Every structure is written in structure tokens, then in C-alpha cells.
Amino acid sequence: MPTAHEIDYRIYGEEMQYVDVELDPGETAIAEAGAFMMMDDGIQMQTIFGDGSQQQGGGLLNKLFSAGKRLLTGESLFMTAFTNVGHGKRRVAFASPYPGKIIPLDLEELGHYVVCQKDAFLCAARGVSVGIEFQRRLGTGLFGGEGFIMQKLEGDGMAFVHAGGHVFERTLQAGEMLRIDTGCLVAYTHTIQYDIQFVGGIRNTIFGGEGVFFATLRGPGKVWIQTLPVSRLASRILSYATTNRKEEGSILGGLGNLLDGDGR
């Protein structure tokens, strides 16, 4: 029997999406701090340690330990639970933190276990466990882009993660290997073998501009890939914020910047 609450949902928007979750009486959704956008009357909001899943039972010490592990992935000790305490259906919505796509993951169909990048988790049905995944190989932890620790989603309910730019799903057959940029990896099922590989070649390493390592993913299983990692987006914004703007064109382009107040 399913242990997680069975929630209905709908995703709205294109570049800046939000997920609208429909809760029956007594059903609960959990979300990261800051993901909440709006909710109907009749929904009760409560701050909880960790994710509130059944795996956190066994007393205060176990709950503190489970919640404390979330600090290693850069998340807060606390999560927020939204429970429908009314008599009819109620809705609560959660928004993406930056341009990209929200990915719905039915954990029951995905083998009850998905590994995703840090900070990817947005919200889920009550009963989904949000933990940590250690990369046991030294090279993967040091050069894999996400470090030794990633997020782990376990259970049999719906979970939602967010990634930057366009996101697409790729199914790998047994033995099939895919090489991708380490920052473009969003999530993968537990059957995928994740490792890193040196790009190779002096010119590729020094002048390639694509990093020194690939992420290698070997099937069978499913992989989710993003086109715009948030680190790449932040780096581009930072470069514009810390350097003088250069225009492509004549002196008229610079004159236009002075007139519109954006020139430096």
C-alpha cells in the first residue's frame, strides 16, 4: 500500500513555472522554505523538522539527525507542511526560484528512489523522504560538479524538482553511456551508474572552455538534463555586473546607453 499522500497537480507557465497542488481533506504537501506562492482558505501551514516522513520516527534524536543531514545539501533544517483541514478540495501553489522547468517525478514508477542535484527539490507529497546521497568515489566527489553530497528522494508519492532553462528526459538502455557537462545533470534514477571522466588532450583541457571533466552516466535508467545550470546563469550575470558594458556597433550605441541611463 502507498505510504505517501496521493496528490493531484497541474504545472502552469513556461519560463517561470509554478505547480498547483490539489489536496483532499487531510492530505498534506511539503515544500522547501521560500517555495510557497499561494493557498486556498482551509489549508493549514506548519513548520516541521526535516520532511516529516515516516522514516523520521523513533524520537527527537532521530528527527534532529534526519533534519541535520539536510544542512549538508545547503538546505534549511526546517520544511513547511501544508495540510487541507477543510471539508472540500483545496489548492496550494509553489513557484520556481529562477527561470527553468518544474519536473514532476512519480517515485512509485521510478523505482522509489531518485538522486538529484543539491537545491533541486521544490515540493512533494507528505511521506516522501528528502535525504542525502553520498558519492562514494573520490573522483566523482571532487570533480563531479555537485561534490560528494547530492539530494535523495525516496518513497512512492509525487515529488517536484526544479532546474534551469529547458529540461528534457533521456532513457538509457543497459550499458548505454552518456557524457554531459557536470553542471547540466539534474537527476537520475538509482539504477544509473554515475561517474566522471577526464576530457583529455592538452588543447581541450587548456583552451576548450568546457571544463576538465565530463559526467558519465551508464544505463539502464532515466536521466534529466538541464540546458542552463544556475551556476552558469549566475556567472553570466556577475560578469555583466562587474565589468563595463561593451556594445557591438558604432558610437551611436554608446550614446544610446548614456541617454537611457544604462551606460558606464
Side-chain angles (χ1 to χ4, degrees):
M1 293 294 293
T3 58
H5 292 191
E6 298 181 9
I7 60 174
D8 299 315
Y9 72 93
R10 185 173 178 182
I11 296 174
Y12 294 89
E14 295 297 333
E15 290 79 15
M16 292 296 293
Q17 294 186 325
Y18 75 93
V19 55
D20 186 79
V21 177
E22 184 180 79
L23 301 175
D24 292 330
E27 287 185 340
T28 300
I30 59 172
E32 286 291 352
F36 168 72
M37 188 175 78
M38 61 182 177
M39 63 181 177
D40 290 341
D41 186 31
I43 290 183
Q44 183 182 73
M45 184 173 66
Q46 181 183 13
T47 300
I48 59 175
F49 269 118
D51 53 33
S53 65
Q54 288 85 342
Q55 296 185 23
Q56 293 182 346
L60 179 61
L61 184 61
N62 283 344
K63 291 181 179 180
L64 286 173
F65 177 72
S66 179
K69 291 189 298 183
R70 291 167 40 77
L71 292 177
L72 298 176
T73 62
E75 304 290 357
S76 169
L77 277 172
F78 302 93
M79 297 186 74
T80 309
F82 299 84
T83 304
N84 182 359
V85 296
H87 298 290
K89 295 179 181 292
R90 297 290 188 270
R91 287 182 169 85
V92 57
F94 307 99
S96 56
Y98 52 88
K101 299 294 182 181
I102 295 175
I103 310 169
L105 301 173
D106 189 339
L107 296 180
E108 187 172 18
E109 294 183 355
L110 296 171
H112 303 271
Y113 189 161
V114 172
V115 179
C116 58
Q117 66 175 358
K118 293 183 293 185
D119 300 326
F121 174 72
L122 185 69
C123 61
R126 183 71 175 262
V128 171
S129 173
V130 185
I132 60 175
E133 174 78 5
F134 287 99
Q135 298 299 333
R136 296 175 179 84
R137 297 182 180 180
L138 180 62
T140 305
L142 289 177
F143 308 113
E146 294 297 332
F148 285 101
I149 301 171
M150 300 178 74
Q151 285 186 325
K152 176 175 62 176
L153 307 178
E154 289 183 286
D156 52 19
M158 290 297 305
F160 302 88
V161 298
H162 179 265
H166 178 69
V167 179
F168 61 96
E169 176 186 311
R170 179 80 178 264
T171 300
L172 301 181
Q173 303 302 319
E176 182 181 4
M177 187 176 71
L178 178 68
R179 296 181 180 93
I180 67 172
D181 181 88
T182 55
C184 292
L185 177 62
V186 179
Y188 56 90
T189 55
H190 69 95
T191 55
I192 291 287
Q193 298 179 32
Y194 172 49
D195 205 345
I196 58 101
Q197 179 181 358
F198 181 62
V199 171
I202 298 298
R203 284 184 297 179
N204 290 336
T205 302
I206 299 177
F207 306 110
E210 299 296 340
V212 183
F213 296 92
F214 293 127
T216 62
L217 306 165
R218 189 179 299 274
K222 291 187 176 182
V223 180
W224 289 265
I225 302 168
Q226 62 185 347
T227 61
L228 183 61
V230 66
S231 58
R232 189 177 298 176
L233 175 63
S235 176
R236 183 59 60 90
I237 293 174
L238 184 62
S239 68
Y240 276 92
T242 56
T243 60
N244 291 330
R245 214 168 84 179
K246 295 182 179 179
E247 294 295 332
E248 301 177 0
S250 67
I251 191 173
L252 295 178
L255 180 60
N257 287 339
L258 292 176
L259 295 176
D260 66 17
D262 289 337
R264 295 188 178 183

